[in-house]
Amino acid sequence: MTPWTETTVVGKPLPRVDAYERVSGSAVYAGDVSFPDMLHQAILRCPHAHALVKSVDTHAARTMPGVRAVLADADPEANMLLPYPSWIRNGPPMRLFDPHCRYAGEEVAAVAAETPEQAREALRAIVVQYQELPFVLDATEALKPGATAVHERGNVVRPPEVIQRGDVAKGLQEADAVVEGTYETSCEIHATMETLSSVARWDGDRLTVWESSQGVFDHQEYLAAALGLPLSSVRVICRYMGGGFGSKAELSKHTLIAVLLARKTARPVRSVLTREESFLCAGNRPPHTMTLKAGATKDGVLRAIDLEGVGVVGAYADDATGGFLATQLYACANVRVRETEVFVNAGKARAMRAPGFPQCAWALEQTIDALAEKIGIDPVELRLRNLPTSFQWTPPVPYSSMGLGQCLIEGARAFGWKEARERPRSSGPVLRGVGVAACMWPNPGGPPATAILRLFADGSLNLTTGVSDIGTGAKTVLAMVAGEELGIPLDRIQIEWADTATTPYAQVSGGSRTVINNAPAVRAAAVEIRRQLLEIAAEELKRPPGELVLKDGRVAPVDEPQRALPIPQLKGLQQRKVILAVGSRHPNPPKLGLPFGVHFAEVEVNTRTGEVAVTRFLAVHDSGRVMNRVTYENQVFGGVTMGIGFALTERRVLDRQTGRVLNANLHDYAIPTVLDVPADMTCLPIDPHDTECNTTGTKGLGEPAMVPTAAAVANAVYHATGIRVTRAPITPMQMLGLLAARGRRG
Amino acid sequence: MTPWTETTVVGKPLPRVDAYERVSGSAVYAGDVSFPDMLHQAILRCPHAHALVKSVDTHAARTMPGVRAVLADADPEANMLLPYPSWIRNGPPMRLFDPHCRYAGEEVAAVAAETPEQAREALRAIVVQYQELPFVLDATEALKPGATAVHERGNVVRPPEVIQRGDVAKGLQEADAVVEGTYETSCEIHATMETLSSVARWDGDRLTVWESSQGVFDHQEYLAAALGLPLSSVRVICRYMGGGFGSKAELSKHTLIAVLLARKTARPVRSVLTREESFLCAGNRPPHTMTLKAGATKDGVLRAIDLEGVGVVGAYADDATGGFLATQLYACANVRVRETEVFVNAGKARAMRAPGFPQCAWALEQTIDALAEKIGIDPVELRLRNLPTSFQWTPPVPYSSMGLGQCLIEGARAFGWKEARERPRSSGPVLRGVGVAACMWPNPGGPPATAILRLFADGSLNLTTGVSDIGTGAKTVLAMVAGEELGIPLDRIQIEWADTATTPYAQVSGGSRTVINNAPAVRAAAVEIRRQLLEIAAEELKRPPGELVLKDGRVAPVDEPQRALPIPQLKGLQQRKVILAVGSRHPNPPKLGLPFGVHFAEVEVNTRTGEVAVTRFLAVHDSGRVMNRVTYENQVFGGVTMGIGFALTERRVLDRQTGRVLNANLHDYAIPTVLDVPADMTCLPIDPHDTECNTTGTKGLGEPAMVPTAAAVANAVYHATGIRVTRAPITPMQMLGLLAARGRRG
C-alpha cells in the first residue's frame, strides 16, 4: 500500500472532532472524574532542598475532620521502589517516601480525606522533623570534587555518552575557519494547562486509574510492575487531557499514592496537583551547557563538529543528553559529541517536547550562524552547502525524503530573507534583525500500533485506538484517515481512545510519532473494512468486488453508477450488523522518513529596555503530507510559541539560599501569551511526496516545530545587535547588560 | 474446529469472575452511575385503566424547588412514535405521551430535578384532567362483539397465527384415545431484583446511556431510530445488572424520557423506576388460555395435537403466542396450532424467560399426562414412545443431538420415578404425588457474534465481548473458554463487556443463546491468539509452530518440554506488547443443536389448607456440554424456582373495579423464597457429546430450565389428588375449592 496520490478528506483544514466537548466544558478530564464516595488526596512535601527525615508524626492528622487515611513512613509501602520508565537505565533507587529528601518538593506523606480542603488542612497537622543537609543546585558546583553528593554514587548520573565518527581533530585542522562558543539553556517547565491529575479506584484486586496520561499502556505497565499485578488487572484510561509535552509520558508518584490510598480506604481517590506542585515535581527540560567547536572550509563545507555538553537531571535519573542533533543535521565527516549528566538538589527532569534538541539547536545553530559570518557566506547558503544525504549512521541509512534544502530555499523566498538581511537594522533605539535556524527529528515511528474500526449497519463508524490525544488533534487526523478511505463524514465517526481495557495497543503519544504510527494502522483497518463491504455488496450487485467502488457512502459497479446501493441498504450488512476490522502499522521500511524544518525570525531589540520582541516568524517544515491544515498550524504555532518562551522568558528560578523554586506559578514563570508572539506568524508546509516513509506519506511534526525557534531568535538578535547571546532565555536584564558592555545601550 | 474432547477448565465448578464485585457492592449498576451535575427523573403515570388526557398543567411543577425541566404534552417530543423491537411486526402506534392512555400506569409527563425527592414532589403539582373511558381487562370480554376497543383497529392484535402439518381431524379419528382440556395461565411479572434503571448523558450531539440492558446493541439501534441519530452517535453501556428475564431485552420508555430530559437540561439524568413502576410497565408474561386436544393409539403413538390458544398482550403489541412447543416436543404427524392475541387495558407483555413455552408446557404436558393415564401407560414411557427424530419442519431438519430420551430414562432412574409412582400417596391430610414434564427449546444460536482477545506481554489476557451478563455467569463461561484454550487462569483474564462504543457486536442476551453464540467466538479468537503466539515462539525456539505446544503459560517444543519458555519471556511478544485477535461465531451447521429437558417433581398437597409444597425436584437437561457446573446449576435452580412461582404463587391481580394492579409489590406478589423451594432440588446434566452443534458442544440452558417445571408440579398434584388443576397458579384458595368440589377436603 502506497500513500494516496489524491485525497478528498485528508489535508483539509477541518475542525477537531472533539471541539464541542473541549470548548463546552463537557469534556471529562481525569480531574473531572467523580464518584459519590470519592476521597481527595493531598501530599506533604519536603520544604528543604536536601534533608533527612528524622520522624513523621501523623497522629494529630489522623483525627482531623474528614480524614480517612494517612500514608507515611510507617506504612509498608513507604519504602517501595518505583520503576523508572523504560528509557532510563540504571537510575539510583527512587522510593515512594525516601527518608533522604533530595529536593524541595519531594513527597514525605499523604492524606486522603472527604474534601480537598480537609486533606490539605490535615497536612498541616503532620509534624516532620528534618535534619537539613547542604545542597547543590548547579552542575559546576555538583561536579567539583568534594561536592555535596545527591546520591551515594556521586553526582554524575552515568559515564559520559559519546557519539563519534571520523576524526574531529583532523577535521578542525582541515578547516579554514573555526568557531567556538559555550551555550547555556535554562530549566524550562512543561507548564501544561491541566496539571497532573488522576483518580484511582479498586474493584477487589482490580485497579482502574483515570489519568492525564500520554500513554495509558505505559502507565499500565508501570502500575502493574509497582504493585505486582498482572497487566490485565490494571486499567488505565485517559479521556481528555490538557497538554503533556512529555511530563505525562511517565506515571507520576502522586498517582501511585492515590492508588495506595484508594486500596487503604477501599474508596476511589482523586489527586489533582496544584499549579505549584506541578512546577516542583512534574518534570522539566533539563538545563544544558554545551561547548561547541565547528570548522568549515572557505567554500563552506563543514569539516568538524565537536560538542562537549553537560545536562542537569535534577534529583533523580533522567535523560539529559541533547547533542544528537549535532550529529545529524548537517553532512559532516568528523563529529564528536560527549555529554555528562549531573544530579543536583532540584526537581527531576523529564522528556520535554523534543528532549535535548532545542538546547542543542540553541548551540549548534548559533555556531553555524557564527561560522557563516566568519567565512562570509549567507547562513541559508552555508546550510544548503551541507545538506545531509542520508542518516549518518554505521552504515548510513538513506532517507525516503529529505526536504531540508527545499525548506531553506522556499522559506527564504517566502520570508523575503535576502531583502530582510540587507534592510537597515535600526530605527531609533530599536534594532531590527532576522535570523534562521534549522532542525531535524530522528523518529520515523514504527510498530506496534493497532486500530480497530467497526462499521455499523447504517454506515456510521466507530474508531478505536489506544492513542492519547494530548491536544494535537490526533483523534481528528485518525478519523480523517478512516473518512478518506471509506467516504464517511467525520460527524458519523465516533472515536474511542486510550483505555487499556478496551482499546488496542498504542505507544506513548510522544516522539512526534502518534500520527505516523497510528494513521497507517487506521488506514489498514479501513482498507479491510472496504474489502469486506465490497464482498458483501458483490453478492447483492452480482458483480465481483474488484468491479465495485465505494464512494460517498454508496457502493456501485464502476461502470454502472446508477446501480449504486447506499451502505444501509446492503442486506448482508444488516445481517452482520457490524463489520469489524483490525489494522496494524507495518514494519518500518528500509529507508528512513524523518522530518526537517527551518525557522525564520525577525526581532526588534529595544536598546533602552533590553526587551526583545519577535515581530515576524515563518516556520517551514518538511513533515511530509499535511494531514489537516488546521491541526498542522496549531502544532507549528504552538511549537513556535513554546520556542519563543524558551528563547526569551521561561526559566525556573531556584533560590540560592534555600534551594526552593521561587517562581512556581504562572505569574512569575512567564510562558508567552498571545501578546508575546508575532501577529505575523506563518507556516509553510513542504511536502516532498514521500511514498516510502509509511502508507500515509506523513512524517512527525510536534517536536520539530519547536526545535529551531530559539536559535532563530538568537541569530536574529545577533543580526540586529551584533551580540551573540549564548545564555537562554534572553531576558531584558541580560540583554541590557550585554548591550551596555558593548556600549550599545540606547 | 470441533468441540474439545478433553477439557481442563471448561466444565469445572468455578466461582464467577465478578463474584467479588457483586457481593461487595463495588459492582456499578446502571442506577449507581453518578455525575456531580446529574438530575433525577420521576414519571407521572395515568391512574386510570383507560382514559383520555384532556389537559396537563405543568406550571406549578416547573417552579417547584429543584425542578429543572418538565416534559409533557406541550413538548414536541410528546407525540413521538416509539419503535417496536424488531420481532414485533405491525404494532399499533406507541407514543411517548399518548393522550389516549390505555392502562393504569401509562406515562403522562415527567420531571427532572436535583434530587429524586424533588422530582417526585413535583409530580404532585402537575394537574391532569382525564376523561375516563370504559375498560376491558380480559381476553374473553375483549373478544366479544361491541367490546371496548383498546385500539382503533380493535382488540385482535393480528390475524391468528396458524402452524399446521398433516391432518389433525384425521389423526384424531385414527387415535384410540383422545383427551381434551382448557388450560389457563396467569400474568406473571419479571420481578427482576434490580428495577429498570438508566442514566443518560449528552456530549453535544452524542449520547451515552448507561442502562440495565440485555442487549446494548439493540438499545443503540432503538435510540438511534427514535432520535434520528447515526448509530455511531449513540453509546449504550451495561455494566452490572440484576436480572432481566426478557424485560430488559427492549429499551423502556423511561430511558427515552431520561434521554430527552438530559438533552433539554444539558445535564445527565438518572432514572430508576420504583418497584411499583416496574410491576406496571416493565412487561409481563402474557396470560394464556389454551384448549388442547390430543389423541394417541392404544400403544401410545401420538396421532394428533390440536391447540387453540388465546394470549393477552396488554395495551400494546407484543408476542403472545406460545403454541410452538406443541409442534416440536414430540414426533406427531398431525398438528395444528392456532393462536389469537388480544389487546386489553393492562400493562404490555414482554418476552419473559422462554416466551410462551411454560404456558404451552402447562397445557401440553398435562395433556400428555392425561393421555398416558387414559391409555394406561406410564407418562415417562408415553413420552419415550414419541421422541422426535428431527426438527419437524418442511423439510425436517436433523438434530445434531437429541437427549430427550436419555433425560427421561436417566432422570426416572435418578428420581426413583417408578417407586415414587407406586408409593402410598397420603399421610393423614397430606397427599403426596410425583409428576413429570418435558421440554425443548428451539434456539440453536448463530452469528453474528464476535469477540476480541488481547494477550498482554506478561501473559495475562483481556477479553472484550458485547454480551450483557444478565446474571447467568456468561462472562465467567466466556473467560473459561479463553482460559481453556490458552491455559490462562481466570484471575489473569480481565473482561470488558456490553458497550457499543468499545466492544464487538453481540446479540441480545436472550433466547438461551448467549453462550452458544459467543463461546465459539471467544474460542476462535483464542485459537488465533495461540497461533500468533506459537509463530512468535517458533522464531525463538527455532522450531516450526506446528511442533510447539502452549501449556500452563509456557511454550515448548512438543518433544523438548525442558526448553519451555514462559510467555513473558518471548521477546517477540515484548516487542509487540499485545497480541490482538478477533474471533467470530461460525454460521450454523446443517444440523440443529437444540436443548431438551425433563423435570420430575414431588409434591405434598395439604387437603386442610390447600397448600401445595414441592418437596423434591430433579431437573434433567440435555443442554450439551456443561460449561461450568456452578453456573449450570444456578441456571437450573433459578429456572425451577421461577417455574415453581409460576405453578403455585405468581399472578398479577387486576382490580375489576378500577383496572389497577392490586399487587404491584414484592409483598403481595409472591415470588418463591428459599422456603418455597425444596431443599432436595437436584440437577442432572445429560451430555450427548454433540460434535456438530457448534465448536463448544454446548446448547442453550437458561430458558428450558423453567419450561416444564409448572407442568411437572401440576402432574404431581394430579398424581397426589386425582385433580387436574388447569388454572395456574395453583393457589391454596383454588386447591381448596377443587378439593371441596371433589369431596376430598381434609
Side-chain angles (χ1 to χ4, degrees), chain B residues 89 139 143 155-164 183 185 286-292 306-313 318-327 335-342 354-361 363:
Chain B
R89 290 150 294 163
L143 290 173
N155 292 335
V156 175
V157 178
R158 48 182 173 147
E161 287 273 299
V162 180
I163 307 175
Q164 201 159 359
Y183 296 86
T185 60
H288 271 270
T289 306
M290 294 185 181
T291 299
L292 218 152
D306 190 11
L307 187 158
E308 178 81 32
V310 175
V312 179
V313 296
D318 206 283
D319 181 11
T321 63
F324 192 75
L325 178 68
T327 72
V335 176
R336 191 192 70 118
V337 168
R338 184 175 178 277
E339 295 185 274
T340 306
E341 295 155 289
V342 184
F357 275 57
Q359 297 99 304
C360 188

Side-chain angles (χ1 to χ4, degrees), chain A residues 206 231 454 493 500 503, chain B residues 206 231 454 458 493 500 503:
Chain A
R206 292 198 165 141
L231 289 164
R454 287 183 296 137
I493 302 178
T500 59
T503 63
Chain B
R206 294 199 164 141
L231 289 164
R454 289 184 293 136
D458 65 351
I493 302 179
T500 60
T503 63

Side-chain angles (χ1 to χ4, degrees), chain A residues 20 26 201 203-204 206 221 231-232 235 454 458 460 462 492-494 496 500-503 505 577, chain B residues 20 26 201 203-204 206 221 230-232 235 454 458 460-462 492-494 496 500-503 577:
Chain A
Y20 174 87
S26 81
R201 185 192 144 107
D203 292 295
R206 292 198 165 141
E221 259 185 54
L231 289 164
S232 60
R235 177 178 190 178
R454 287 183 296 137
D458 67 350
S460 66
N462 171 283
R492 292 173 68 85
I493 302 178
Q494 189 242 342
E496 284 304 315
T500 59
T502 62
T503 63
Y505 185 84
K577 295 285 189 182
Chain B
Y20 175 86
S26 81
R201 184 192 145 110
D203 291 294
R206 294 199 164 141
E221 259 185 54
L231 289 164
S232 60
R235 176 178 190 177
R454 289 184 293 136
D458 65 351
S460 65
L461 191 76
N462 171 284
R492 292 174 69 85
I493 302 179
Q494 189 242 344
E496 284 305 315
T500 60
T502 61
T503 63
K577 292 286 188 182

